[in-house]
Amino acid sequence: MKAPTVLLLLVASSCCLASPVSRSVQTRREIPEETLDLVYDTFVTVFRTVQATYPPELLQQLAKELLATGGHFDFSDELGAQLNEKTVELRANLKYALEDIAFAAAGLDPSDEVIVGKVHDYLDYAVDVLINSIPMDVVETLVVEVLAKEGSFDFTPELEATLLAALADAKVQLRQIVDYEFELFEDLIELDDEMRALINQIIDYMADETYQAIPWKLLEDIVYEVIENEGTIELSDALNERIEETLESLRQKLREVLESLESLFFPKSLKSLF
């Protein structure tokens, strides 16, 4: 199984990736367009699936209740029930949407019933772990602090430490997903201690890259507008344009981080293993 399979859900969870190594000093390797397409398509699929699952009117109600509670997740019974229903719906939608990409990434035969069953088991596990691992208490703490500062993302040291702790927990969850993948497809993958250690390094690297590249300034400006509009989610043309530009720049940023990834973790002596 190729390295991009391991990174599939890692990269998909990020809306923006950036290489930590300067272009002038890193050794560039050409990333196949097929690999780049798979990673990019995974991100777009996840983004569009989440977007389609949560309609604008639900997000509108969520924004207004958060403003009313100062960011605390003390939702009304009606909104709480709707959010719970959407979480269940999102699980099903993601599993369905990612199935074709999973087959393509792993190079598996979709006509083999045994393989199909294993892919379904993998997606069931991976999506459930990812959704269950979202630290809602940390998200609530962040929202409360941001709203207390009228939209500013100038985090306190305590919140920054909390976010880094959540990042460390996320790495553990992602390793569990990869461990399950190798366990499920053990007949297709040869895995020794050296390769497992390498994969864990890749997970840490990609998780760190994802966190470092979160577009905090864009998020801050979105929150400012929502607060100014008293919870109405009607973003300005300028903000909508910036959001689209962020999405459009993803492909090149993915290329840069994958090239850096190969340079750092996949010397020529190891590339034959993937």
Side-chain angles (χ1 to χ4, degrees), residues 50-266:
V50 174
Q51 187 180 49
T53 301
Y54 293 89
E57 57 270 18
L58 178 59
L59 297 179
Q60 183 76 71
Q61 184 179 354
L62 175 62
K64 291 193 173 183
E65 288 204 13
L66 286 174
L67 288 178
T69 63
H72 292 285
F73 288 5
D74 297 328
F75 303 127
S76 64
D77 291 342
E78 177 186 359
L79 178 58
Q82 290 185 69
L83 292 175
N84 289 336
E85 290 175 0
K86 287 300 179 182
T87 298
V88 174
E89 184 179 333
L90 180 62
R91 293 176 193 269
N93 290 346
L94 283 174
K95 292 170 187 178
Y96 177 79
L98 290 171
E99 182 174 329
D100 288 343
I101 295 177
F103 279 111
L108 299 174
D109 182 4
S111 65
D112 187 320
E113 293 185 2
V114 175
I115 293 297
V116 170
K118 288 186 176 184
V119 170
H120 287 170
D121 288 344
Y122 169 72
L123 289 175
D124 286 345
Y125 182 84
V127 171
D128 286 349
V129 169
L130 285 175
I131 291 179
N132 290 337
S133 66
I134 296 174
M136 298 308 296
D137 56 334
V138 176
V139 176
E140 181 177 14
T141 300
L142 186 153
V143 174
V144 169
E145 181 170 309
V146 167
L147 291 184
K149 295 180 177 180
E150 299 182 343
S152 172
F153 276 52
D154 183 16
F155 300 145
T156 62
E158 291 78 12
L159 179 55
E160 289 182 347
T162 299
L163 292 173
L164 290 176
L167 175 62
D169 290 340
K171 293 176 182 178
V172 174
Q173 300 290 339
L174 291 167
R175 289 185 183 188
Q176 290 179 4
I177 292 175
V178 174
D179 285 344
Y180 183 71
E181 178 178 357
F182 285 125
E183 176 185 335
L184 194 62
F185 296 97
E186 61 180 353
D187 55 328
L188 302 178
I189 308 169
E190 294 183 5
L191 183 67
D192 55 23
D193 291 341
E194 181 180 358
M195 187 55 60
R196 184 178 293 277
L198 177 61
I199 290 169
N200 287 339
Q201 290 181 56
I202 294 171
I203 290 173
D204 290 349
Y205 173 81
M206 294 299 293
D208 288 338
E209 285 298 286
T210 298
Y211 178 77
Q212 292 172 13
I214 293 174
W216 294 114
K217 178 57 179 172
L218 175 59
L219 295 175
E220 181 180 55
D221 290 344
I222 290 173
V223 172
Y224 277 139
E225 280 210 8
V226 172
I227 292 175
E228 184 176 344
N229 294 333
E230 298 181 344
T232 300
I233 304 179
E234 293 181 359
L235 302 182
S236 65
D237 291 341
L239 263 184
N240 280 318
E241 184 176 344
R242 285 174 60 192
I243 293 171
E244 290 304 314
E245 288 174 352
T246 299
L247 294 175
E248 291 171 3
S249 67
L250 173 66
R251 186 177 178 84
Q252 178 57 33
K253 292 180 179 180
L254 285 174
R255 182 189 298 278
E256 292 174 5
V257 78
L258 290 176
E259 287 174 346
S260 177
L261 179 71
E262 283 213 335
S263 298
L264 292 171
F265 295 105
F266 299 116

